[in-house]
Amino acid sequence: MENSYSDSYKAAGVDVTAGYRAVELMKQHVARTALPGLLGDIGGFGGLFELDLSGMPHPVLCAGTDGVGTKLKLAFLMDKHDTVGIDCVAMCVNDIICCGAKPLLFLDYIACGKNLPEKIASIVSGVAEGCVQAGCVLNGGETAEMPGFYPEDEYDLAGFAVGAVDKSRILDKNSVAAGDVLVGIRSSGVHSNGFSLVRKVFDVENNGGLNKRYDELGMSLGEALLAPTKIYVKPVLAVMEQLTVKSVSHITGGGFYENIPRALPEGKRAKISKKTAGTLPIFDIIQKTGKIPERDMYNTFNMGTGMILIVGKQDAQKAVEILNANGEDAHVIGFIENGEKGIELC
């Protein structure tokens, strides 16, 4: 593409040569995600992936899409762009494993006010890291330079994941029964939800509070808030390979009150021990600083539990052991009972 350039387009704010430079810089990161099935290289019009359907007599594709949200505002303020890509991948792949599907490929979309190749490559490095953690291929993407639409130093980041599961292994929430157990897996922090409230609580754009250090966090507020979303794919799939998992809930925006009922059938409710589930210090700081009612906290944030598996009582301890053996902090946090669909915190 050495002969591809347009002075007129550049004068309008779009530098196509910067886009080519960004692609060259990101290739090393994309290469980290290569897996059997990947065909071709980045730079084409579409990403090709050859499906290996062995062990799947009735394969079903599962897709998910999401973005990072206003957490990106913190990345702008801190000028740190190499972790938000992990968030982007996490928000997509954590959703599709709730169906029992294994992520296969991921596409990203970056829209920016000005294409700065090094910054774009830094963002993509995080996307690639997320794909490595999820065990999927970064199969392509798009960078759109949009002067006049975004400020020059800002961007948006979204993604799209595709996975596959045999039809016989799709999770069926209707199998959830009274007496089943909820196994919670610890989050890494706020993840990528509730940041409009977080930014309001700390007034981060105006008072520079991101640099304030908290002893209970062991780091600055900004570092704690920017911690990337945990990717649960491999540990959860490890449990699914050994045990019957009836349903899974990814605790995202809407917190416990919105997401747990999505994993329940009618006539079943979850009773959860707040003490057993526990909270992370960052949420105590948010609640105290913002004087936020407890119910609003549990209806906005993950509170320290990023993923919940529902299993039979007889499988609960084994599920915890598998998750802990895979590097997660997991424990039983509640149980299922008959009643109006919803949750009860006690």
Side-chain angles (χ1 to χ4, degrees):
M1 299 181 184
E2 59 186 31
N3 294 321
S4 176
Y5 62 89
S6 170
D7 291 335
S8 298
Y9 208 5
K10 186 173 182 179
V14 178
D15 184 356
V16 293
T17 59
Y20 306 146
R21 169 66 175 159
V23 170
E24 288 302 314
L25 291 175
M26 68 178 69
K27 281 184 176 180
Q28 60 178 314
H29 305 300
V30 176
R32 295 182 57 215
T33 75
L35 293 170
L38 177 64
L39 302 178
D41 196 2
I42 62 170
F45 289 102
L48 296 172
F49 187 86
E50 184 177 9
L51 287 173
D52 178 3
L53 300 178
S54 56
M56 287 191 193
H58 197 155
V60 176
L61 295 180
C62 179
T65 186
D66 209 339
V68 181
T70 64
K71 183 175 184 176
L72 291 175
K73 289 284 190 180
L74 276 70
F76 305 156
L77 291 167
M78 298 173 66
D79 194 24
K80 182 173 174 55
H81 311 281
D82 61 345
T83 61
V84 290
I86 301 175
D87 292 291
C88 189
V89 175
M91 297 306 295
C92 298
V93 298
N94 285 345
D95 275 356
I96 67 176
I97 61 168
C98 292
C99 298
K102 181 185 185 303
L104 299 174
L105 60 90
F106 187 83
L107 301 173
D108 63 5
Y109 175 78
I110 304 170
C112 58
K114 185 176 179 60
N115 188 333
L116 301 174
E118 288 74 17
K119 179 185 283 189
I120 298 299
S122 182
I123 297 167
V124 173
S125 74
V127 176
E129 174 58 28
C131 289
V132 169
Q133 292 183 24
C136 65
V137 168
L138 179 50
N139 202 216
E142 174 70 14
T143 302
E145 190 172 16
M146 301 168 65
F149 195 90
Y150 292 96
E152 285 196 358
D153 58 348
E154 295 191 2
Y155 57 86
D156 197 8
L157 174 62
F160 176 81
V162 177
V165 58
D166 190 74
K167 190 173 184 178
S168 66
R169 303 194 67 176
I170 296 174
L171 301 192
D172 180 11
K173 68 180 182 182
N174 292 311
S175 66
V176 173
D180 287 343
V181 170
L182 283 76
V183 175
I185 314 176
R186 185 63 75 187
S187 72
S188 57
V190 185
H191 284 181
S192 299
N193 307 105
F195 273 88
S196 294
L197 179 54
V198 168
R199 288 166 44 237
K200 181 177 184 293
V201 166
F202 296 106
D203 193 20
V204 296
E205 279 97 346
N206 296 317
N207 67 10
L210 294 176
N211 293 322
K212 182 177 179 180
R213 188 173 182 85
Y214 290 82
D215 290 339
E216 56 266 56
L217 298 176
M219 62 185 71
S220 71
L221 175 65
E223 290 171 326
L225 292 174
L226 206 58
T229 304
K230 184 175 282 289
I231 293 176
Y232 298 101
V233 171
K234 293 178 181 178
V236 171
L237 288 177
V239 177
M240 292 177 178
E241 289 170 1
Q242 299 183 51
L243 302 173
T244 298
V245 177
K246 298 187 176 185
S247 193
V248 177
S249 177
H250 181 202
I251 310 301
T252 56
F256 281 41
Y257 282 100
E258 178 179 321
N259 291 290
I260 296 175
R262 295 169 65 186
L264 302 176
E266 295 296 331
K268 298 293 181 288
R269 61 189 290 105
K271 192 166 186 177
I272 300 168
S273 167
K274 291 183 291 185
K275 181 178 180 180
T276 304
T279 60
L280 292 174
I282 185 62
F283 297 106
D284 296 329
I285 294 170
I286 293 170
Q287 183 175 11
K288 181 179 179 181
T289 304
K291 298 180 175 60
I292 301 172
E294 181 182 74
R295 193 190 189 287
D296 287 356
M297 291 293 295
Y298 279 94
N299 209 158
T300 306
F301 302 110
N302 67 62
M303 300 302 288
T305 301
M307 185 77 76
I308 294 174
L309 278 58
I310 302 177
V311 300
K313 185 177 181 179
Q314 72 280 2
D315 290 330
Q317 187 54 44
K318 181 63 174 177
V320 170
E321 291 173 0
I322 295 170
L323 290 167
N324 290 344
N326 279 270
E328 301 298 331
D329 180 5
H331 44 280
V332 172
I333 64 171
F335 61 91
I336 301 297
E337 60 184 10
N338 292 320
E340 183 180 355
K341 184 164 75 168
I343 72 166
E344 178 186 349
L345 295 172
C346 57

